[in-house]
Amino acid sequence: MKFVLLLISILTLLGCSGGSSDPTNIPVTEADPMQPIPPEAPSLPLPPEMSPDIQEFHRELYSAVTRSVSYGDVLNLNYEPSTQKRFYGEDSLQFVEYWPAQNTQQRQDLANIVLIHGGCWSNRFRLAQSYPMATALSLNGFPVWSIEYRATGDEGGGWPGTYTDIESAIRFIYQQIYSQSQSKIRIVGHSAGGHLALLARTNLDLDFNVVGLAAITNLITYADQEGSCNSLAVSFMNGRPADLPEQYTLANPQTGSLSAQTFLFGGGQDGIVDESQVRFTGIPFQIDEDAGHFDWIHPGTASFEHLLNYLLTE
């Protein structure tokens, strides 16, 4: 598996493009070759291979698979059910699920992981996609929380309701964790969930770091591009950037100020979120040249192994 580590920042963020009606098969557009490249962003240590002393406790349940995987592949995986479901609001969709840490004989100091699932901000895609990932992280010693939220198409969903749900859920989880311990918190967001995680890191005065997986870092450029998920960004905002400039500014993460608290992973074979959304932010990042969009949330892929290694050695 080839990984290319580029830590760069620029003043202008580029989006991704695609022309397919299938959100899992959108062509990738290359970044603008005229884009100026400023000095490198701060680097975080990231071993290229799984450290020899790290055991992958999830391998009995999730054997290695060939990339790239599909959304359906993820939904078809087995998983362990959560042990708790707690509501952070009055709506039936305002809840979090919890998986306790397992196999903690060697590591009892691991961070609480908070998952924010993706799905183009649409209610066509729900929390179930996070169940295999939550199971695998739990088996490897992490306490795991996964957030459900009102999405576009739900009453109260879309902008800003979807995002305010995320803020409320993070505050709720933060209170649950810190009422019992002082454990670290790592919020891991995939795709549109990565956008919501980065926006929360921009706005909330709480102590947590963010890991973005194929995260949409620039909503403005993303919504202006063609593609199935891109069009759902417009639906999420209820209009295009040219028509709602102030709202898009509010909904766009301020990535330039987040380099010390975030890390981004992107895939060279991602047809939904082009790697330019990862490269040109000022945030430290890593590109897996072989990874597709859903590889990060499938515990059988090498991309997930790389994420796991990062979380275990951070």
Side-chain angles (χ1 to χ4, degrees):
M1 179 173 60
K2 179 181 178 184
F3 292 95
V4 179
L5 180 61
L6 300 174
L7 304 178
I8 56 179
S9 62
I10 65 169
L11 297 176
T12 304
L13 305 178
L14 295 179
C16 67
S17 70
S20 169
S21 61
D22 180 359
T24 66
N25 188 29
I26 301 174
V28 174
T29 298
E30 295 294 329
D32 184 355
M34 301 303 292
Q35 187 66 51
I37 300 176
E40 291 185 349
S43 174
L44 293 179
L46 191 61
E49 302 293 343
M50 182 65 71
S51 300
D53 59 333
I54 291 177
Q55 300 182 55
E56 297 172 271
F57 289 100
H58 64 287
R59 280 306 180 200
E60 284 191 15
L61 191 58
Y62 304 111
S63 57
V65 297
T66 302
R67 295 174 297 179
S68 296
V69 301
S70 69
Y71 181 72
D73 291 332
V74 175
L75 291 183
N76 287 331
L77 292 171
N78 292 324
Y79 60 86
E80 293 186 358
S82 63
T83 61
Q84 296 182 44
K85 179 178 179 179
R86 303 181 187 179
F87 287 85
Y88 61 86
E90 296 182 357
D91 192 273
S92 62
L93 291 170
Q94 294 174 315
F95 66 87
V96 299
E97 295 192 41
Y98 176 72
W99 289 255
Q102 303 180 57
N103 301 309
T104 58
Q105 299 88 343
Q106 295 179 349
R107 296 290 301 271
Q108 300 184 15
D109 60 341
L110 295 177
N112 279 260
I113 302 297
V114 178
L115 302 179
I116 305 179
H117 70 80
C120 305
W121 306 273
S122 169
N123 67 356
R124 293 163 51 193
F125 308 95
R126 287 301 191 192
L127 186 70
Q129 64 184 283
S130 73
Y131 288 169
M133 185 179 190
T135 298
L137 291 172
S138 169
L139 288 170
N140 281 280
F142 294 95
V144 182
W145 308 73
S146 193
I147 299 173
E148 186 58 291
Y149 50 87
R150 295 171 299 170
T152 308
D154 298 321
E155 184 176 356
W159 177 259
T162 295
Y163 171 68
T164 58
D165 276 5
I166 295 300
E167 274 203 1
S168 296
I170 291 173
R171 291 184 185 278
F172 174 81
I173 293 170
Y174 199 90
Q175 183 180 34
Q176 300 300 306
I177 293 172
Y178 278 86
S179 67
Q180 301 179 28
S181 70
Q182 296 297 312
S183 300
K184 296 180 294 185
I185 299 175
R186 299 287 178 266
I187 297 182
V188 179
H190 176 243
S191 194
H195 159 259
L196 296 169
L198 291 168
L199 189 58
R201 180 60 283 168
T202 299
N203 294 330
L204 289 178
D205 187 22
L206 298 174
D207 184 17
F208 62 87
N209 286 6
V210 167
V211 179
L213 309 176
I216 297 164
T217 62
N218 189 327
L219 183 61
I220 297 171
T221 58
Y222 193 77
D224 268 339
Q225 298 293 331
E226 295 297 323
S228 179
C229 195
N230 309 73
S231 66
L232 289 173
V234 177
S235 298
F236 167 64
M237 293 299 297
N238 200 31
R240 293 193 170 275
D243 302 321
L244 300 167
E246 293 183 358
Q247 291 303 308
Y248 270 87
T249 298
L250 291 172
N252 213 39
Q254 301 302 307
T255 56
S257 64
L258 302 181
S259 62
Q261 299 169 305
T262 54
F263 197 90
L264 301 175
F265 289 93
Q269 305 302 315
D270 192 330
I272 296 176
V273 179
D274 179 64
E275 63 185 72
S276 62
Q277 286 274 338
V278 176
R279 291 182 183 276
F280 305 125
T281 64
I283 296 173
F285 69 92
Q286 178 116 14
I287 299 293
D288 177 352
E289 296 291 355
D290 298 322
H293 188 68
F294 299 103
D295 291 4
W296 302 107
I297 63 172
H298 189 303
T301 66
S303 298
F304 181 84
E305 178 181 293
H306 197 58
L307 168 66
L308 177 62
N309 191 32
Y310 173 78
L311 293 172
L312 286 168
T313 58
E314 185 184 15

